Amino acid sequence: MIKTKRIQQIKEYVIQHQSVSLDDLVTTFGVSKNTIRRDVQKLVEEGHIQKVYGGVAANHARLESFHDRQTRNQLQKRWIAKDAARLVDDGDVIFIDSGTTTLEMIHFIKEKELTVVTNNLDFIVQALPYTQLQVISTGGQLERKTKSFSSITNTNDVLQYNFDKVFMASTGVSISNGVTNSSPVETSMKEMVVKKGREVILLVDHTKFNKYAMLTYCQLDEIDYLITDDSLDTSYTTFFKKNQIKWIVAPSQDESQQTLT
């Protein structure tokens, strides 16, 4: 069997069974354990599967509560948000996605004259004191676990807006599966927002790479900027250069000792 075809079949087999042992893969595909280990390693590096004790498992990111996500890597998220805010100009019409990293942008854009469309409940609440921010909610059903508004019936309302910049969050990012999300009811809105953004900026910390969730809302080559908190693997930098995507690693060296406000 051709190597690329075998690797694809291994991926499909693991996803179908959720978790399998290496011995099972050896038996099923009729190759040596060393060959299986090499094939598995390639799939792990591409973000399709993950190694677990005694074998491998499908690498589906789960939908965590907003609180659990907010308390993890909080300082890194604040740095990412600060660099994202530098891309915002007075007078912009922007979209702020639901997410713990995108929420942090409120600290750095609160003095700007902006129109902000958002499905992020906490952003709406925190923006209340800042009258120069014109905040428009997407409306719909409140998803308590993610503290965001979503609605399958109201997603077409987003199409009326022409966004200068959209700031997006993601549960997992990989070259093969693109930018992914765990919530089916949020995905349609995210897809439309990306299409309506003049510039698409993705905010993700280092824990999101080489992972994917249940649904892809855009391919990686549809974004214009990626802002993260750690250096990128060469597979990503090569991909970004090829597709003319800018990437920013926060914080820059000259800021790493500064205090965030």
Side-chain angles (χ1 to χ4, degrees), residues 56-248:
V56 293
N59 194 15
H60 295 293
R62 65 186 179 91
L63 180 61
E64 296 180 284
S65 72
F66 190 90
H67 178 267
D68 288 345
R69 290 181 287 123
Q70 188 173 28
T71 55
R72 188 173 60 248
N73 301 322
Q74 191 166 12
L75 180 60
Q76 291 90 334
K77 292 174 182 179
R78 185 71 66 93
W79 281 117
I80 292 169
K82 184 177 183 180
D83 272 348
R86 289 186 173 126
L87 301 176
V88 179
D89 299 313
D90 282 329
D92 276 348
V93 178
I94 67 174
F95 180 86
I96 300 287
D97 194 13
S98 62
T100 55
T101 306
T102 48
L103 172 62
E104 294 292 331
M105 288 183 66
I106 184 66
H107 303 289
F108 309 107
I109 64 173
K110 60 189 179 184
E111 305 298 335
K112 297 186 178 185
E113 299 279 348
L114 303 170
T115 298
V116 182
V117 181
T118 185
N119 58 343
N120 191 322
L121 174 61
D122 276 356
F123 186 95
I124 295 169
V125 173
Q126 293 187 30
L128 283 173
Y130 308 110
T131 56
Q132 67 274 24
L133 293 179
Q134 181 182 357
V135 180
I136 302 172
S137 168
T138 58
Q141 177 179 324
L142 174 62
E143 297 293 321
R144 286 177 171 80
K145 194 166 186 178
T146 58
K147 300 178 80 171
S148 64
F149 292 106
S150 59
S151 171
I152 295 174
T153 57
N154 289 345
T155 50
N156 285 332
D157 293 345
V158 176
L159 291 174
Q160 68 182 302
Y161 298 105
N162 297 308
F163 299 112
D164 295 300
K165 289 126 188 174
V166 298
F167 296 88
M168 306 302 296
S170 175
T171 307
V173 178
S174 70
I175 293 173
S176 56
N177 290 297
V179 187
T180 62
N181 179 55
S182 297
S183 173
V185 290
E186 288 184 351
T187 298
S188 294
M189 180 178 294
K190 290 175 185 286
E191 289 174 344
M192 292 183 184
V193 166
V194 167
K195 288 178 172 58
K196 293 293 291 183
R198 182 170 58 84
E199 291 186 326
V200 180
I201 300 106
L202 180 63
L203 283 62
V204 285
D205 65 62
H206 67 278
T207 65
K208 305 296 178 62
F209 287 92
N210 293 325
K211 295 181 180 178
Y212 67 93
M214 183 167 56
L215 299 163
T216 296
Y217 70 81
C218 76
Q219 297 301 320
L220 203 51
D221 61 5
E222 293 182 68
I223 69 171
D224 299 290
Y225 288 86
L226 181 139
I227 309 178
T228 188
D229 64 318
D230 202 355
S231 57
L232 298 176
D233 184 271
T234 54
S235 60
Y236 285 95
T237 57
T238 300
F239 179 89
F240 290 163
K241 288 176 182 177
K242 179 181 178 181
N243 292 280
Q244 298 182 318
I245 299 167
K246 301 179 181 69
W247 70 92
I248 299 170

Side-chain angles (χ1 to χ4, degrees), residues 13-28:
Y13 186 85
V14 175
I15 291 174
Q16 179 183 357
H17 292 83
Q18 292 299 297
S19 63
V20 296
S21 68
L22 293 182
D23 288 338
D24 184 11
L25 293 175
V26 168
T27 301
T28 301

